[in-house]
Amino acid sequence: IKSSQTATGNEPKKTQTGLQIAKNTFTFLDKTVKPEGGFWFGFECNNKFEIVCRASDTYRAGHASYTPSPHFGHLTLSFYDYGKKTGDKIYTDKADSAMAFILSNCNQDLSWCIWNFSPLIAYYNDTKDERYKNAMLKASDEIIREKTPLEHLSLNSGLKLKALYDITKDDRYLTSLINLADAIMAGEVDKDDLNPKLYSDGDFTVRTQTFKSIWSTILPAYAATKDPKYLGFINDSLKKANVTAHFGKFQTSEELQHLIFALYSYLQLMNLDAASKDAHHQMAHDLAQHIYSTFADTRDNKKFNGDFGIVENGVKDSLNNGWLVRHFVKLSDDTFTIN
């Protein structure tokens, strides 16, 4: 897919493929890697007195007192996915080092297992190494433990329940996943004050957990069961959300993450909903184009230091950038407008 955007004036339109954008973003992401292991959670930028972005371990701007969870999964997988796609061992080696760091900490602290499930899934599927399976099983009691639907959403439990079902075939995990998906579809999380309105389109309300509900729970439920009610709910919700008409609602790191989750949902649907694959691909492309055009600190659209990091309100959130590299790798052959 090629971008429909055009350059302004008489300037020639500059384009790059999704894979080229992913590679450029490592100019920023390489700086997030800590020598002792793990990643910086982000960089805070300020150009009032000098153009600089400084590393920070506050998870989001404005949360200086908040101790973040060790949520390095999609950062690790950004290096892993790019290395696998290109065959460049430099990137897979960095991912392997991050995974070794995660496993080492997982042995001491359960939260490292819980919050890094996505790379544990990917590495186990690719290698069948029992260390990754055991790390997932170590967290299984906490993941399946009875919670409110919103508490499950906060842990991305749906994705993890499906993974646990896949590796064990224990029906308890599948039943919990189905129950959680059905509760979300019944509107139970919409009643919670911790799931406030993000915006409305007509009579449809998009809440802060709308897109997270889809990617982390309803999509895994559909992948596990192939029950058409889940696919119908996903497509109906995304259509009514009409996200491209509400780009102005996504400005801060937290808000941009909702948009990233919507993009991820469309990418997953490309594989799970063959009948509408082209339409899902176009939506994924359009969301990726908007995010890159609006938030990327590039040499053609310099905001701070031009290191290709995605920046929102002066914050380059490492996790958001890791997510987006993975998305652009999936859209590797698409062409995007740069200027």
Side-chain angles (χ1 to χ4, degrees), residues 24-322:
N24 287 342
T25 308
F26 283 110
T27 306
F28 167 70
L29 282 180
D30 276 335
K31 295 187 291 188
T32 71
V33 180
K34 291 184 176 181
E36 68 273 20
F39 301 88
W40 291 102
F41 281 94
F43 281 67
E44 296 189 54
C45 304
N46 186 332
N47 63 359
K48 289 183 179 179
F49 304 105
E50 58 182 348
I51 299 176
V52 65
C53 297
R54 294 187 176 90
S56 171
D57 262 340
T58 57
Y59 189 53
R60 295 282 190 271
H63 292 276
S65 63
Y66 174 60
T67 302
S69 58
H71 196 169
F72 298 141
H74 291 277
L75 276 167
T76 302
L77 288 174
S78 66
F79 289 89
Y80 188 60
D81 289 356
Y82 184 82
K84 284 178 61 180
K85 181 70 176 181
T86 63
D88 192 330
K89 197 170 182 293
I90 290 174
Y91 295 92
T92 49
D93 283 350
K94 289 180 179 179
D96 291 348
S97 294
M99 277 306 301
F101 186 74
I102 288 169
L103 280 179
S104 176
N105 282 280
C106 175
N107 290 330
Q108 308 299 322
D109 183 346
L110 185 63
S111 66
W112 283 79
C113 306
I114 293 171
W115 283 108
N116 292 286
F117 236 72
S118 290
L120 290 172
I121 294 167
Y123 268 74
Y124 179 69
N125 287 341
D126 286 352
T127 68
K128 301 307 178 189
D129 188 322
E130 291 291 309
R131 293 178 301 162
Y132 306 120
K133 179 179 179 179
N134 290 337
M136 288 188 276
L137 291 174
K138 184 177 179 181
S140 61
D141 286 345
E142 174 58 26
I143 291 166
I144 201 172
R145 181 175 61 82
E146 186 175 352
K147 307 177 188 71
T148 68
L150 197 61
E151 287 172 336
H152 272 301
L153 273 180
S154 71
L155 288 177
N156 300 330
S157 294
L159 170 80
K160 298 165 188 179
L161 288 166
K162 180 183 181 299
L164 289 166
Y165 173 70
D166 288 342
I167 64 175
T168 66
K169 299 307 176 186
D170 186 332
D171 285 337
R172 291 182 305 144
Y173 300 117
L174 181 59
T175 299
S176 293
L177 171 59
I178 290 170
N179 289 341
L180 176 59
D182 289 350
I184 291 170
M185 287 174 55
E188 290 189 24
V189 297
D190 297 341
K191 305 169 187 175
D192 199 305
D193 291 340
L194 296 177
N195 185 20
K197 172 183 169 182
L198 186 61
Y199 67 85
S200 292
D201 189 283
D203 60 359
F204 185 76
T205 298
V206 175
R207 299 184 180 276
T208 56
Q209 300 297 322
T210 295
F211 301 121
K212 187 175 187 179
S213 297
I214 291 171
W215 83 261
S216 73
T217 303
I218 312 299
L219 274 165
Y222 178 66
T225 67
K226 294 300 185 289
D227 189 326
K229 73 178 182 182
Y230 297 123
L231 183 60
F233 178 86
I234 294 164
N235 283 325
D236 185 58
S237 297
L238 290 174
K239 181 179 179 180
K240 289 179 177 177
N242 194 18
V243 66
T244 56
H246 299 277
F247 281 147
K249 299 295 184 181
F250 306 95
Q251 298 297 326
T252 67
S253 294
E254 292 94 335
E255 290 165 353
L256 181 59
Q257 196 167 73
H258 304 320
L259 194 58
I260 291 170
F261 292 161
L263 169 53
Y264 184 72
S265 299
Y266 281 112
L267 290 170
Q268 293 296 100
L269 285 169
M270 286 169 57
N271 296 323
L272 292 172
D273 185 16
S276 300
K277 179 178 180 179
D278 290 345
H280 297 317
H281 189 174
Q282 186 64 62
M283 281 297 299
H285 177 95
D286 291 347
L287 296 188
Q289 175 67 73
H290 169 77
I291 292 170
Y292 194 72
S293 297
T294 306
F295 299 104
D297 183 9
T298 70
R299 291 161 193 171
D300 291 299
N301 186 19
K302 197 169 184 179
K303 301 178 187 296
F304 292 99
N305 57 7
D307 65 0
F308 298 95
I310 298 296
V311 58
E312 324 88 18
N313 285 354
V315 177
K316 293 182 179 178
D317 185 288
S318 302
L319 187 59
N320 282 353
N321 278 271

